[in-house]
Amino acid sequence: MQTWSTRIIGATSVFPERILTNADLEKMVDTNDSWIVSRTGIRTRRIAAPGETTSTLGAEAAKKLLQQVNRDPQQIDGIIVATVTPDMPVPSSACIIQDKIGAKKAWCYDLNAACCGFLFGLSTADQFIKTGKYKNILLIGSEVMSSILDFEDRTTCVLFGDGAGAVYLEADEIESGQHGVIDTLMYSDGSGAEYLYVPGGGSRHPASHDTVEKRMHYVRQEGGPVFKAAVHGMTKITEEILQKNSMSNSDIDFFVPHQANLRIIDACSKRLNLEPQQVIINLDRYGNTTAATIPTCLAELVEDGRLSKGKIVLMAGFGAGFTCGAALVRWG
Ligand code: UT7
């Protein structure tokens, strides 16, 4: 019997041109560069221009990716877009991207697992490929977080940014575990929903004058509990996936954590005994791009030539929901 494994054969990223610095934010809310850098590690983030959306950024990343991996859009069986900021509630941004890139045969859907969207999408796509059902899947994490940020709320607006990352997943006829996706893990804890959410615009509080006046269509976060749960969750899931696959921290070439806060990344890396050169960070330049943090980090590794065939990559994330995910991959 044939066993299929899921190879990740390429990764790209796209960011809007406009850079929003901490100094710019000082003029908008009661904050300062020193607080933002010392409490989060973020120095700049990108902000979408009018007309730049989750689907335009995602489609641009997808087009770049198809060129990088030299594949025809007609070959794509499916498109999964991880996002909390779709162009609109219906249709999915994945369908809009399909049309923009001419992937006529692909089924498409959006997936909302917040900051774990990319990892949950990878896990889902991996099952489709490993069972032999589909052979080519485009997985995109794309966000225009600025569309749900309250630029009068200093506790949230300094944290997030816009951007998109894409990876091409391809079935390979070799024994599973040789290379490609080795394993994935997904967890959720809905009791954490109250700490990170957007209250308005859904079926609980449909958009109205009242919801807009109360600024309910913006993201709200109680940072402390999320911080603690993120450090605990990401450390635990990383240890679990390593143990389950008989690996240790020294087997990892690159640890790609979700980019929410440098202090969270540092705390996890310390607990996992990882060396600084193993830990990938783009948060300082792009802020927290939610579902796009991990694929944009992968793209950076590919673009600067560090992510060569055979390298072991461990990804871990934590986000609203709560959601927690991890993936272990042998690249190429
Ligand atoms: O990606 C999804 C998952 N999200 C996360 O993982 C985020 C997790 N949480 C965090 O990263 C951190 O909790 C934050 C960065 C959001 C906040 O950092 P913190 O060290 O937990 O600060 P805090 O919320 O305890 O606030 C400390 C102080 C407060 O003032 P008082 O009450 O001590 O007077 C805040 O009002 O810092 C104040 N503060 C600010 N000051 C200047 C909050 N935001 C700002 C700001 N500028 N932007």
Side-chain angles (χ1 to χ4, degrees):
M1 201 183 92
Q2 188 143 42
T3 357
W4 298 96
S5 82
T6 307
R7 291 175 63 204
I8 307 184
I9 61 165
T12 52
S13 66
V14 165
F15 293 98
E17 267 182 32
R18 184 180 157 209
I19 298 173
L20 186 70
T21 64
N22 293 347
D24 296 329
L25 283 160
E26 284 178 10
K27 295 178 200 131
M28 297 160 75
V29 285
D30 180 16
T31 191
N32 56 77
D33 177 62
S34 145
W35 190 94
I36 301 173
V37 172
S38 63
R39 305 310 293 165
T40 74
I42 301 166
R43 292 177 187 276
T44 59
R45 68 287 289 143
R46 300 296 180 96
I47 302 292
E52 218 167 10
T53 68
T54 290
S55 75
T56 65
L57 292 171
E60 217 184 308
K63 283 180 188 165
K64 236 172 113 176
L65 180 65
L66 290 169
Q67 273 195 342
Q68 185 189 86
V69 300
N70 195 23
R71 295 292 187 273
D72 181 346
Q74 304 275 358
Q75 271 180 259
I76 301 170
D77 297 310
I79 302 173
I80 302 175
V81 175
T83 187
V84 299
T85 52
D87 285 27
M88 42 190 149
V90 172
S92 69
S93 294
C95 280
I96 302 171
I97 291 174
Q98 181 220 37
D99 187 48
K100 286 185 199 292
I101 66 171
K104 290 194 185 335
K105 290 192 209 136
W107 45 257
C108 307
Y109 61 84
D110 288 359
L111 181 156
N112 178 345
C115 298
C116 287
F118 177 80
L119 291 173
F120 280 30
L122 182 59
S123 189
T124 310
D126 183 40
Q127 311 313 311
F128 282 143
I129 290 177
K130 277 189 176 145
T131 55
K133 178 111 177 147
Y134 299 110
K135 296 204 163 40
N136 294 273
I137 297 180
L138 188 57
L139 173 61
I140 300 169
S142 185
E143 303 282 9
V144 179
M145 290 304 293
S146 59
S147 66
I148 57 166
L149 285 182
D150 184 348
F151 282 98
E152 292 182 10
D153 175 8
R154 70 175 183 173
T155 69
T156 51
C157 73
V158 304
L159 304 174
F160 296 93
D162 303 337
V167 295
Y168 197 100
L169 307 172
E170 193 169 73
D172 197 27
E173 292 177 45
I174 67 154
E175 246 187 292
S176 179
Q178 289 298 299
H179 64 254
V181 177
I182 299 166
D183 200 4
T184 58
L185 289 175
M186 299 189 280
Y187 290 108
S188 297
D189 173 8
S191 70
E194 64 188 286
Y195 300 114
L196 182 48
Y197 62 110
V198 178
S203 56
R204 191 182 298 184
H205 298 290
S208 66
H209 280 294
D210 191 47
T211 60
V212 173
E213 247 168 52
K214 290 180 177 152
R215 311 180 82 73
M216 290 168 70
H217 48 296
Y218 293 131
V219 71
R220 292 182 187 176
Q221 174 172 242
E222 202 181 315
V226 183
F227 188 101
K228 278 190 210 136
V231 173
H232 178 72
M234 279 168 62
T235 307
K236 207 168 150 226
I237 203 166
T238 304
E239 285 168 345
E240 185 185 338
I241 203 165
L242 283 174
Q243 202 172 23
K244 201 170 150 230
N245 292 280
S246 307
M247 286 189 177
S248 74
N249 51 2
S250 58
D251 295 316
I252 303 307
D253 292 298
F254 299 113
F255 176 57
V256 182
H258 170 54
Q259 314 276 310
N261 188 318
L262 194 55
R263 290 186 295 136
I264 295 176
I265 297 173
D266 285 346
C268 292
S269 309
K270 219 172 177 179
R271 287 173 192 211
L272 296 161
N273 271 320
L274 294 166
E275 299 296 329
Q277 65 272 18
Q278 290 173 288
V279 183
I280 305 309
I281 290 160
N282 72 7
L283 171 85
D284 51 331
R285 287 156 288 148
Y286 302 115
N288 180 350
T289 55
T290 305
T293 62
I294 291 177
T296 56
C297 282
L298 293 177
E300 203 165 303
L301 284 172
V302 169
E303 278 157 21
D304 69 18
R306 276 184 287 168
L307 204 43
S308 50
K309 208 172 161 83
K311 295 275 187 206
I312 301 284
V313 185
L314 175 54
M315 307 165 223
F318 189 90
F322 292 140
T323 53
C324 190
L328 194 55
V329 171
R330 187 172 282 112
W331 195 263

